[in-house]
Amino acid sequence: MEHRITLAKVPAVTLGFWIIKILATTLGETAGDAVSMSWLGETTSAATGWGYLIGTAIFIVPLGLLVAAQIRARQFHPALYWLTIIASTTAGTTMADFATRSMGIGYAGGSLLLLIAVVGCLWLWNRTLGSIDVGTVSEPRAEAFYWTTITFSQTLGTALGDWVADSGPGYLGAALLFGAALGLVALLHYRTSISKAVLFWAAFILTRPLGATVGDFLDKPLASGGLDMSRPLASAVLTGLIVALVWMLPQRAGQHPKA
């Protein structure tokens, strides 16, 4: 049987991919908090509860435009891809805070609602196109499912990170827990026959609470267990690191063999 290689419009999943992804999720936390908490005052006495919704409205517009540009592109473009990832994780921060705080359903309710959304997206994607393998993301329908799933997973990860951190271990302890969970997923990837696509999405979801807790550790007050860094400064440093890594590390499209 003759096989051909189809290039995906997303990057190959390498160690560099995961490093940049974790930095992007951390940036999403600090940048999202900079807008909703610092600028719109959701952590001040003047908080109205609407800051998270307004922040979401601010971030959802560039996210929609970037996803549209990503789908219209004919091939993988590293800068466009990572800008879209950053937009999704920043919007995910404010959406998760709105769900868990402004809607009054708490961390448990918000996490459950978002988990149902992620699983529902993956189920519908698999039922419609027959695969949730990111190597198949090379045409508009698959890309639409991909970016919808990513946005919900980024939002879910934020809620999970806040839930675990506020339940006792603190931001640094929660980051270590999620880092250990990622290590377990990596072990399962290399030592078991569990679906690689399922493990990818498990790891993708876990990178978000890891980044969220690291971001909170950087910018939350000392009294709350953070380092009390300026949110704009932390966001600028993270942006610089991401730009440098995208430029220095090889960026190539993922591949998927098709008969």
Side-chain angles (χ1 to χ4, degrees):
M1 179 182 294
E2 182 180 352
H3 291 267
R4 61 185 175 87
I5 297 296
T6 298
L7 291 180
K9 286 170 63 179
V10 298
V13 181
T14 62
L15 178 60
F17 169 87
W18 291 115
I19 292 172
I20 298 172
K21 171 60 167 61
I22 292 170
L23 287 173
T25 60
T26 308
L27 172 59
E29 187 70 18
T30 58
D33 287 350
V35 170
S36 63
M37 295 182 181
S38 298
W39 181 34
L40 297 174
E42 278 303 318
T43 53
T44 68
S45 58
T48 63
W50 289 99
Y52 298 122
L53 184 60
I54 296 171
T56 298
I58 291 172
F59 291 124
I60 207 73
V61 173
L63 173 59
L65 293 174
L66 286 166
V67 169
Q70 176 76 18
I71 292 175
R72 286 177 61 86
R74 295 186 177 182
Q75 60 187 15
F76 168 61
H77 296 285
L80 176 59
Y81 176 83
W82 288 112
L83 276 173
T84 312
I85 286 289
I86 291 170
S88 71
T89 191
T90 310
T93 297
T94 53
M95 285 193 290
D97 288 341
F98 176 74
T100 58
R101 299 172 186 178
S102 299
M103 289 178 63
I105 58 178
Y107 292 138
S111 297
L112 179 60
L113 178 65
L114 293 164
L115 178 61
I116 291 172
V118 172
V119 173
C121 283
L122 291 172
W123 178 83
L124 185 60
W125 181 0
N126 187 66
R127 185 173 178 83
T128 303
L129 300 180
S131 175
I132 57 173
D133 185 346
V134 294
T136 64
V137 180
S138 58
E139 53 90 16
R141 287 193 303 168
E143 286 188 273
F145 279 117
Y146 178 80
W147 289 108
T148 302
T149 304
I150 278 181
T151 301
F152 278 126
S153 74
Q154 308 277 39
T155 311
L156 168 62
T158 302
L160 283 175
D162 289 344
W163 188 10
V164 172
D166 290 347
S167 296
Y171 303 119
L172 187 57
L176 292 174
L177 287 174
F178 287 117
L182 271 173
L184 177 59
V185 173
L187 184 64
L188 293 174
H189 174 84
Y190 289 108
R191 296 296 181 88
T192 71
S193 58
I194 297 175
S195 167
K196 299 300 186 284
V198 171
L199 290 175
F200 169 85
W201 285 109
F204 199 95
I205 291 170
L206 286 170
T207 57
R208 184 60 182 98
L210 173 58
T213 50
V214 171
D216 284 336
F217 176 68
L218 292 175
D219 64 30
K220 288 296 189 286
L222 294 173
S224 301
L227 295 180
D228 201 21
M229 286 182 64
S230 160
R231 289 178 177 126
L233 175 60
S235 300
V237 171
L238 290 164
T239 299
L241 287 173
I242 292 169
V243 170
L245 288 174
V246 171
W247 177 66
M248 290 188 300
L249 296 179
Q251 297 286 309
R252 58 183 175 83
Q255 296 181 344
H256 182 68
K258 289 187 175 181

